[in-house]
Coordinates of all heavy atoms in Angstrom, one line a residue:
M413 N 0.8 -1.2 0.0 CA 0.0 0.0 0.0 C 0.9 1.3 0.0 O 1.8 1.3 0.8 CB -0.9 0.0 1.2 CG -2.0 1.1 1.3 SD -3.1 1.0 -0.1 CE -4.0 -0.5 0.3
F414 N 0.6 2.2 -0.9 CA 1.4 3.4 -1.0 C 0.5 4.6 -0.6 O -0.6 4.6 -0.8 CB 2.0 3.5 -2.4 CG 2.9 2.4 -2.7 CD1 2.4 1.3 -3.4 CD2 4.2 2.3 -2.2 CE1 3.2 0.2 -3.7 CE2 5.0 1.3 -2.5 CZ 4.5 0.2 -3.2
W415 N 1.2 5.5 0.0 CA 0.5 6.7 0.6 C 0.7 7.9 -0.3 O 1.6 7.9 -1.1 CB 1.0 6.9 2.0 CG 2.5 7.1 2.1 CD1 3.1 8.4 2.0 CD2 3.5 6.2 2.1 NE1 4.5 8.2 2.1 CE2 4.8 6.9 2.1 CE3 3.6 4.8 2.1 CZ2 6.0 6.2 2.1 CZ3 4.8 4.1 2.1 CH2 6.0 4.8 2.2
K416 N 0.0 8.9 0.0 CA 0.2 10.2 -0.7 C 0.7 11.2 0.3 O 0.0 11.5 1.3 CB -1.1 10.7 -1.4 CG -1.4 10.0 -2.6 CD -2.5 10.6 -3.4 CE -2.8 9.8 -4.6 NZ -3.9 10.4 -5.4
R417 N 1.9 11.7 0.1 CA 2.5 12.7 1.0 C 2.9 13.9 0.2 O 4.0 13.9 -0.3 CB 3.7 12.0 1.7 CG 3.3 11.0 2.8 CD 2.8 11.7 4.1 NE 3.7 12.7 4.6 CZ 4.7 12.5 5.5 NH1 4.8 11.3 6.0 NH2 5.5 13.5 5.9
K418 N 2.0 14.8 0.1 CA 2.4 16.0 -0.8 C 3.5 16.8 -0.2 O 4.0 17.7 -0.9 CB 1.1 16.8 -1.0 CG 0.2 16.3 -2.0 CD 0.9 16.0 -3.3 CE 0.2 16.8 -4.5 NZ 0.9 16.5 -5.8
D419 N 3.8 16.6 1.1 CA 4.9 17.3 1.7 C 6.3 16.7 1.4 O 7.3 17.2 1.7 CB 4.7 17.4 3.2 CG 4.6 16.1 3.9 OD1 3.9 15.2 3.3 OD2 5.0 16.0 5.0
L420 N 6.2 15.5 0.8 CA 7.5 14.7 0.4 C 7.6 14.7 -1.1 O 6.7 14.7 -1.8 CB 7.5 13.3 1.0 CG 7.4 13.2 2.5 CD1 7.4 11.7 2.9 CD2 8.6 13.9 3.2
I421 N 8.9 14.5 -1.5 CA 9.2 14.4 -2.9 C 10.4 13.5 -3.1 O 11.3 13.4 -2.2 CB 9.5 15.8 -3.6 CG1 9.6 15.7 -5.1 CG2 10.7 16.5 -2.9 CD1 9.6 17.0 -5.8
A422 N 10.4 12.7 -4.2 CA 11.5 11.8 -4.4 C 12.7 12.6 -4.8 O 12.7 13.6 -5.4 CB 11.1 10.8 -5.6
N423 N 13.9 12.0 -4.4 CA 15.2 12.6 -4.7 C 16.1 11.5 -5.1 O 16.3 10.5 -4.3 CB 15.7 13.4 -3.6 CG 17.1 14.0 -3.9 OD1 17.2 14.7 -4.9 ND2 18.0 13.8 -3.1
V424 N 16.7 11.5 -6.2 CA 17.7 10.5 -6.7 C 19.1 10.8 -6.1 O 19.6 11.9 -6.4 CB 17.7 10.3 -8.2 CG1 18.7 9.2 -8.6 CG2 16.3 10.0 -8.7
I425 N 19.7 9.8 -5.4 CA 21.0 10.0 -4.9 C 22.0 9.6 -6.0 O 22.1 8.4 -6.3 CB 21.2 9.1 -3.6 CG1 20.2 9.5 -2.6 CG2 22.6 9.3 -3.1 CD1 20.1 8.5 -1.5
E426 N 22.6 10.6 -6.6 CA 23.4 10.4 -7.8 C 24.5 9.3 -7.7 O 24.7 8.5 -8.6 CB 24.0 11.7 -8.2 CG 24.6 11.7 -9.6 CD 25.2 13.1 -10.0 OE1 24.7 14.1 -9.4 OE2 26.1 13.1 -10.7
D427 N 25.2 9.3 -6.6 CA 26.3 8.4 -6.3 C 25.9 7.0 -6.3 O 26.7 6.1 -6.6 CB 27.0 8.8 -5.0 CG 27.7 10.1 -5.1 OD1 27.9 10.6 -6.2 OD2 28.2 10.6 -4.0
K428 N 24.7 6.7 -5.9 CA 24.2 5.3 -5.8 C 23.5 4.8 -7.1 O 23.4 3.6 -7.4 CB 23.2 5.2 -4.6 CG 23.9 5.4 -3.3 CD 22.8 5.1 -2.2 CE 23.4 5.2 -0.8 NZ 22.3 4.9 0.2
C429 N 22.9 5.7 -7.8 CA 22.1 5.4 -9.0 C 22.9 4.7 -10.1 O 23.9 5.3 -10.5 CB 21.4 6.6 -9.5 SG 20.3 6.3 -10.9
Q430 N 22.4 3.6 -10.7 CA 23.0 2.9 -11.8 C 22.2 3.1 -13.1 O 22.5 2.5 -14.1 CB 23.0 1.4 -11.5 CG 23.9 1.1 -10.2 CD 25.3 1.5 -10.4 OE1 25.9 1.2 -11.4 NE2 25.9 2.1 -9.3
N431 N 21.3 4.0 -13.1 CA 20.5 4.4 -14.3 C 19.8 3.1 -14.9 O 19.7 3.0 -16.1 CB 21.3 5.1 -15.3 CG 21.9 6.4 -14.8 OD1 21.2 7.2 -14.2 ND2 23.2 6.5 -14.8
C432 N 19.3 2.2 -14.1 CA 18.7 1.0 -14.6 C 17.2 1.3 -15.1 O 16.7 0.5 -15.8 CB 18.6 0.0 -13.5 SG 17.5 0.4 -12.1
E433 N 16.7 2.5 -14.7 CA 15.4 2.9 -15.2 C 14.2 2.1 -14.6 O 13.1 2.2 -15.1 CB 15.3 3.0 -16.7 CG 16.4 3.9 -17.3 CD 16.2 4.2 -18.8 OE1 15.1 3.8 -19.3 OE2 17.1 4.8 -19.4
H434 N 14.5 1.3 -13.6 CA 13.4 0.6 -12.9 C 12.4 1.5 -12.3 O 11.2 1.3 -12.4 CB 14.1 -0.3 -11.9 CG 13.1 -1.4 -11.4 ND1 12.5 -2.3 -12.2 CD2 12.8 -1.7 -10.1 CE1 11.7 -3.1 -11.5 NE2 11.9 -2.8 -10.2
C435 N 12.9 2.6 -11.7 CA 12.0 3.5 -11.0 C 11.1 4.2 -12.1 O 9.9 4.6 -11.8 CB 12.8 4.6 -10.3 SG 14.0 5.4 -11.2
I436 N 11.6 4.4 -13.2 CA 10.8 5.1 -14.3 C 9.6 4.2 -14.7 O 8.5 4.7 -14.9 CB 11.7 5.4 -15.5 CG1 12.7 6.5 -15.1 CG2 10.9 5.9 -16.7 CD1 13.9 6.7 -16.0
R437 N 9.9 2.9 -14.8 CA 8.8 2.0 -15.1 C 7.8 1.9 -14.0 O 6.6 1.6 -14.2 CB 9.4 0.6 -15.5 CG 10.2 0.7 -16.8 CD 10.6 -0.7 -17.2 NE 11.6 -1.3 -16.4 CZ 12.9 -1.1 -16.5 NH1 13.4 -0.3 -17.5 NH2 13.8 -1.7 -15.7
I438 N 8.3 2.0 -12.8 CA 7.4 1.8 -11.6 C 6.5 3.0 -11.4 O 5.3 2.9 -11.0 CB 8.3 1.7 -10.3 CG1 9.0 0.3 -10.3 CG2 7.5 1.9 -9.0 CD1 8.2 -0.8 -9.7
C439 N 7.0 4.2 -11.6 CA 6.2 5.4 -11.3 C 5.1 5.7 -12.4 O 5.4 6.0 -13.5 CB 7.1 6.6 -11.2 SG 6.2 8.2 -10.9
R440 N 3.9 5.5 -11.9 CA 2.8 5.7 -12.9 C 2.6 7.2 -13.3 O 2.0 7.5 -14.3 CB 1.5 5.3 -12.2 CG 1.4 3.8 -12.1 CD 0.0 3.5 -11.6 NE -0.1 2.1 -11.2 CZ -1.1 1.6 -10.5 NH1 -2.1 2.4 -10.1 NH2 -1.2 0.4 -10.2
R441 N 3.2 8.1 -12.5 CA 3.0 9.5 -12.8 C 4.1 10.1 -13.7 O 4.1 11.3 -13.9 CB 2.8 10.3 -11.5 CG 1.5 9.8 -10.7 CD 1.4 10.5 -9.4 NE 1.1 11.9 -9.6 CZ -0.1 12.5 -9.9 NH1 -1.1 11.7 -10.0 NH2 -0.2 13.7 -10.0
R442 N 5.0 9.3 -14.1 CA 6.0 9.7 -15.0 C 6.8 10.9 -14.5 O 7.1 11.9 -15.2 CB 5.4 10.0 -16.4 CG 4.7 8.8 -17.0 CD 4.0 9.2 -18.3 NE 3.3 8.1 -18.8 CZ 3.6 7.4 -19.9 NH1 4.6 7.8 -20.6 NH2 2.9 6.4 -20.4
V443 N 7.2 10.8 -13.3 CA 7.9 11.9 -12.6 C 9.4 11.8 -13.0 O 10.0 12.9 -13.1 CB 7.7 11.7 -11.1 CG1 8.7 12.7 -10.3 CG2 6.3 12.0 -10.7
L444 N 9.9 10.6 -13.1 CA 11.4 10.4 -13.2 C 11.8 10.3 -14.7 O 11.0 9.8 -15.5 CB 11.8 9.2 -12.4 CG 11.6 9.3 -10.9 CD1 11.2 8.0 -10.3 CD2 12.7 9.9 -10.2
M445 N 13.0 10.6 -15.0 CA 13.5 10.3 -16.3 C 15.0 10.1 -16.3 O 15.7 10.6 -15.4 CB 13.1 11.4 -17.4 CG 13.9 12.6 -17.3 SD 13.5 13.8 -18.6 CE 14.1 13.0 -20.1
T446 N 15.5 9.4 -17.3 CA 17.0 9.2 -17.5 C 17.3 9.9 -18.8 O 16.7 9.7 -19.8 CB 17.3 7.7 -17.5 OG1 16.9 7.1 -16.3 CG2 18.8 7.5 -17.7
S447 N 18.4 10.7 -18.7 CA 18.8 11.4 -19.8 C 20.3 11.8 -19.7 O 20.9 11.6 -18.6 CB 18.0 12.6 -20.0 OG 18.3 13.3 -21.2
M448 N 20.9 12.2 -20.8 CA 22.3 12.7 -20.7 C 22.3 14.1 -20.1 O 21.6 15.0 -20.5 CB 22.8 12.7 -22.2 CG 24.3 12.9 -22.3 SD 25.1 11.3 -21.8 CE 25.1 10.5 -23.4
V449 N 23.1 14.2 -19.1 CA 23.3 15.5 -18.4 C 24.8 15.8 -18.3 O 25.5 15.0 -17.7 CB 22.6 15.5 -17.0 CG1 22.8 16.8 -16.3 CG2 21.1 15.1 -17.1
N450 N 25.2 16.9 -18.8 CA 26.6 17.3 -18.8 C 27.5 16.1 -19.3 O 28.5 15.8 -18.6 CB 27.0 17.7 -17.4 CG 26.3 19.0 -17.0 OD1 25.9 19.8 -17.9 ND2 26.0 19.2 -15.7
G451 N 27.1 15.4 -20.3 CA 28.0 14.4 -20.9 C 27.9 13.0 -20.2 O 28.6 12.1 -20.6
K452 N 27.0 12.8 -19.2 CA 26.9 11.5 -18.7 C 25.4 11.2 -18.3 O 24.6 12.1 -18.1 CB 27.7 11.3 -17.4 CG 27.4 12.2 -16.3 CD 28.3 11.8 -15.1 CE 27.8 12.5 -13.8 NZ 28.5 12.1 -12.6
M453 N 25.1 9.9 -18.3 CA 23.7 9.6 -18.0 C 23.3 9.9 -16.6 O 24.1 9.6 -15.7 CB 23.5 8.1 -18.3 CG 23.6 7.7 -19.8 SD 22.4 8.6 -20.8 CE 20.9 7.7 -20.5
A454 N 22.1 10.3 -16.4 CA 21.6 10.6 -15.0 C 20.1 10.3 -15.0 O 19.4 10.5 -15.9 CB 22.0 12.0 -14.7
T455 N 19.7 9.9 -13.8 CA 18.2 9.7 -13.6 C 17.9 10.8 -12.5 O 18.6 11.0 -11.5 CB 18.0 8.3 -13.0 OG1 18.4 7.4 -14.0 CG2 16.5 8.1 -12.7
F456 N 16.8 11.5 -12.8 CA 16.4 12.6 -11.9 C 14.9 12.8 -12.0 O 14.2 12.3 -12.8 CB 17.1 13.9 -12.4 CG 17.0 14.2 -13.8 CD1 15.9 15.0 -14.3 CD2 17.8 13.6 -14.8 CE1 15.8 15.3 -15.6 CE2 17.7 13.9 -16.1 CZ 16.7 14.7 -16.6
V457 N 14.4 13.6 -11.0 CA 13.0 14.0 -11.0 C 12.8 15.1 -12.0 O 13.3 16.2 -11.9 CB 12.7 14.6 -9.5 CG1 11.3 15.1 -9.5 CG2 12.8 13.4 -8.5
N458 N 12.1 14.7 -13.0 CA 11.8 15.6 -14.2 C 10.5 16.4 -14.0 O 10.4 17.5 -14.5 CB 11.8 14.8 -15.5 CG 11.7 15.7 -16.7 OD1 12.4 16.7 -16.8 ND2 10.7 15.4 -17.5
R459 N 9.6 15.8 -13.3 CA 8.3 16.5 -13.1 C 7.9 16.6 -11.6 O 7.1 15.8 -11.1 CB 7.2 15.8 -13.9 CG 7.3 15.8 -15.4 CD 7.1 17.2 -15.9 NE 5.8 17.8 -15.4 CZ 4.7 17.7 -16.1 NH1 4.6 17.0 -17.1 NH2 3.6 18.3 -15.6
P460 N 8.6 17.4 -10.9 CA 8.4 17.5 -9.4 C 6.9 17.8 -9.1 O 6.4 17.3 -8.0 CB 9.3 18.6 -8.9 CG 9.7 19.3 -10.2 CD 9.6 18.4 -11.3
D461 N 6.2 18.5 -9.9 CA 4.8 18.8 -9.7 C 3.9 17.6 -9.7 O 2.8 17.6 -9.1 CB 4.3 19.8 -10.7 CG 4.6 19.3 -12.2 OD1 5.7 18.9 -12.5 OD2 3.6 19.4 -13.0
K462 N 4.4 16.5 -10.3 CA 3.6 15.3 -10.4 C 3.8 14.3 -9.3 O 3.1 13.3 -9.2 CB 3.9 14.6 -11.8 CG 3.4 15.4 -13.0 CD 2.0 15.2 -13.3 CE 1.5 15.8 -14.6 NZ 0.1 15.7 -14.7
C463 N 4.9 14.5 -8.6 CA 5.3 13.5 -7.5 C 4.3 13.6 -6.3 O 4.1 14.7 -5.8 CB 6.7 13.7 -7.1 SG 7.2 12.6 -5.8
T464 N 3.7 12.5 -6.0 CA 2.8 12.5 -4.8 C 3.5 12.0 -3.5 O 2.9 11.9 -2.5 CB 1.7 11.5 -5.1 OG1 2.2 10.1 -5.2 CG2 0.9 11.8 -6.3
G465 N 4.8 11.8 -3.6 CA 5.6 11.3 -2.4 C 5.1 9.9 -2.0 O 5.3 9.6 -0.8
C466 N 4.7 9.1 -2.9 CA 4.1 7.8 -2.5 C 5.2 6.8 -2.1 O 4.9 5.8 -1.4 CB 3.3 7.2 -3.7 SG 4.4 6.6 -5.1
G467 N 6.4 7.0 -2.5 CA 7.5 6.1 -2.0 C 7.7 4.8 -2.8 O 8.6 4.1 -2.5
K468 N 6.9 4.6 -3.8 CA 7.0 3.4 -4.6 C 8.3 3.2 -5.2 O 9.0 2.1 -5.2 CB 5.9 3.3 -5.6 CG 5.6 1.9 -6.1 CD 4.3 2.0 -7.0 CE 4.1 0.7 -7.7 NZ 3.0 0.7 -8.6
C469 N 8.8 4.3 -5.8 CA 10.1 4.2 -6.5 C 11.2 3.9 -5.6 O 12.1 3.1 -5.9 CB 10.4 5.6 -7.2 SG 10.3 7.0 -6.1
A470 N 11.2 4.5 -4.4 CA 12.2 4.3 -3.4 C 12.2 2.8 -2.9 O 13.2 2.2 -2.7 CB 12.0 5.2 -2.2
M471 N 11.0 2.3 -2.8 CA 10.9 0.9 -2.3 C 11.4 -0.1 -3.3 O 12.0 -1.1 -2.9 CB 9.4 0.6 -2.0 CG 9.2 -0.7 -1.3 SD 7.5 -0.9 -0.8 CE 7.5 0.2 0.6
F472 N 11.3 0.2 -4.5 CA 11.7 -0.8 -5.5 C 13.0 -0.5 -6.2 O 13.5 -1.3 -7.0 CB 10.6 -0.9 -6.6 CG 9.4 -1.6 -6.2 CD1 8.3 -0.9 -5.7 CD2 9.3 -3.0 -6.2 CE1 7.2 -1.6 -5.2 CE2 8.2 -3.7 -5.7 CZ 7.1 -3.0 -5.3
C473 N 13.7 0.5 -5.8 CA 15.0 0.8 -6.4 C 16.0 -0.2 -5.8 O 16.2 -0.3 -4.6 CB 15.5 2.2 -6.0 SG 17.2 2.5 -6.5
P474 N 16.6 -1.0 -6.7 CA 17.6 -2.1 -6.2 C 18.8 -1.5 -5.6 O 19.5 -2.2 -4.9 CB 17.9 -2.8 -7.5 CG 17.6 -1.9 -8.6 CD 16.5 -1.0 -8.2
E475 N 19.2 -0.2 -5.9 CA 20.4 0.4 -5.3 C 20.1 1.2 -4.1 O 21.0 1.9 -3.6 CB 21.0 1.2 -6.4 CG 21.3 0.5 -7.7 CD 22.3 -0.6 -7.6 OE1 23.1 -0.6 -6.6 OE2 22.2 -1.6 -8.3
K476 N 18.8 1.3 -3.7 CA 18.5 2.2 -2.6 C 18.9 3.6 -2.9 O 19.5 4.3 -2.0 CB 19.1 1.7 -1.2 CG 18.7 0.3 -0.9 CD 17.3 0.3 -0.2 CE 17.0 -1.2 0.2 NZ 15.8 -1.7 -0.4
A477 N 18.7 4.0 -4.1 CA 19.2 5.3 -4.5 C 18.2 6.4 -4.6 O 18.4 7.5 -5.1 CB 19.8 5.2 -5.9
I478 N 17.0 6.1 -4.0 CA 15.9 7.2 -4.0 C 15.5 7.4 -2.5 O 15.3 6.4 -1.8 CB 14.7 6.8 -4.8 CG1 15.1 6.6 -6.3 CG2 13.6 7.9 -4.7 CD1 14.0 6.3 -7.2
E479 N 15.5 8.6 -2.1 CA 15.1 9.0 -0.8 C 13.9 9.9 -1.0 O 13.7 10.5 -2.0 CB 16.2 9.7 0.0 CG 16.7 10.9 -0.8 CD 17.9 11.6 -0.1 OE1 18.3 11.2 1.0 OE2 18.4 12.5 -0.7
L480 N 13.1 10.0 0.1 CA 12.0 11.0 0.1 C 12.4 12.1 0.9 O 12.8 11.9 2.1 CB 10.7 10.4 0.6 CG 10.1 9.3 -0.3 CD1 8.9 8.7 0.3 CD2 9.8 9.8 -1.7
I481 N 12.4 13.3 0.4 CA 12.8 14.5 1.2 C 11.6 15.5 1.3 O 10.6 15.4 0.6 CB 14.0 15.2 0.5 CG1 13.6 15.7 -0.9 CG2 15.2 14.2 0.4 CD1 14.7 16.5 -1.6
E482 N 11.8 16.4 2.3 CA 10.8 17.4 2.5 C 10.7 18.3 1.2 O 11.7 18.8 0.8 CB 11.1 18.3 3.7 CG 11.1 17.5 5.0 CD 9.8 17.3 5.5 OE1 8.8 18.0 5.1 OE2 9.6 16.4 6.4
R483 N 9.5 18.4 0.7 CA 9.3 19.2 -0.5 C 9.6 20.7 -0.2 O 10.1 21.4 -1.1 CB 7.9 19.1 -1.0 CG 7.6 19.8 -2.3 CD 6.1 19.6 -2.7 NE 5.9 18.3 -3.2 CZ 6.0 18.0 -4.5 NH1 6.3 18.9 -5.4 NH2 5.7 16.8 -5.0
Y484 N 9.2 21.2 1.0 CA 9.3 22.6 1.2 C 10.4 23.0 2.2 O 10.4 24.0 2.8 CB 7.9 23.1 1.8 CG 6.8 22.7 0.9 CD1 5.9 21.8 1.3 CD2 6.6 23.3 -0.4 CE1 4.8 21.4 0.5 CE2 5.6 23.0 -1.2 CZ 4.7 22.0 -0.8 OH 3.6 21.7 -1.6
A485 N 11.4 22.1 2.3 CA 12.5 22.4 3.2 C 13.3 23.6 2.8 O 13.4 23.9 1.6 CB 13.4 21.2 3.4
Ligands
SF4_982 S1 15.7 2.3 -9.9 FE1 17.3 3.3 -8.6 S2 19.3 2.7 -9.6 FE2 17.6 2.4 -11.1 S3 17.5 4.3 -12.2 FE3 16.0 4.5 -10.5 S4 17.2 5.5 -8.9 FE4 18.7 4.7 -10.3
SF4_983 S1 7.4 9.0 -4.9 FE1 5.7 8.1 -6.2 S2 5.0 9.7 -7.5 FE2 7.0 10.3 -6.7 S3 8.5 9.7 -8.2 FE3 8.3 8.0 -6.7 S4 6.8 6.6 -7.5 FE4 6.6 8.5 -8.6

């Protein structure tokens, strides 16, 4: 069961991420994307307005590379 926490938002921890794109397939709201950034591949939150803070991406990331952070910190 996944919750909606509008005060939280997903954040990809760059050092841990392997760009496997599993989180992109998991997130129904198409928040995340993988693309070339400054000459190297990176996965990041592309649509922060769409993230519900449900935590599904973090739960299924095999590298534990997604954390939920305070949206308004
Ligand atoms: S599932 Fe984890 S390791 Fe894979 S692209 Fe997403 S954040 Fe990176
Ligand atoms: S927390 Fe939920 S809505 Fe936000 S990116 Fe992850 S799976 Fe998508």
Side-chain angles (χ1 to χ4, degrees):
M413 188 61 67
F414 298 98
W415 59 94
K416 285 190 179 177
R417 286 285 307 268
K418 282 305 237 181
D419 55 325
L420 297 179
I421 187 169
N423 179 56
V424 179
I425 303 165
E426 191 181 331
D427 289 351
K428 292 184 177 179
C429 178
Q430 298 297 316
N431 300 309
C432 67
E433 301 190 9
H434 194 53
C435 55
I436 293 169
R437 291 188 290 275
I438 287 276
C439 178
R440 287 189 191 165
R441 297 180 64 84
R442 299 172 184 250
V443 170
L444 299 146
M445 77 176 288
T446 299
S447 185
M448 195 72 85
V449 179
N450 295 329
K452 63 176 189 173
M453 293 302 284
T455 300
F456 53 90
V457 172
N458 186 48
R459 293 292 308 271
D461 54 311
K462 293 278 186 185
C463 181
T464 62
C466 72
K468 196 172 173 186
C469 55
M471 186 170 288
F472 286 95
C473 171
E475 307 297 331
K476 304 276 182 243
I478 299 182
E479 58 185 354
L480 293 177
I481 61 173
E482 296 281 341
R483 184 183 282 271
Y484 306 111

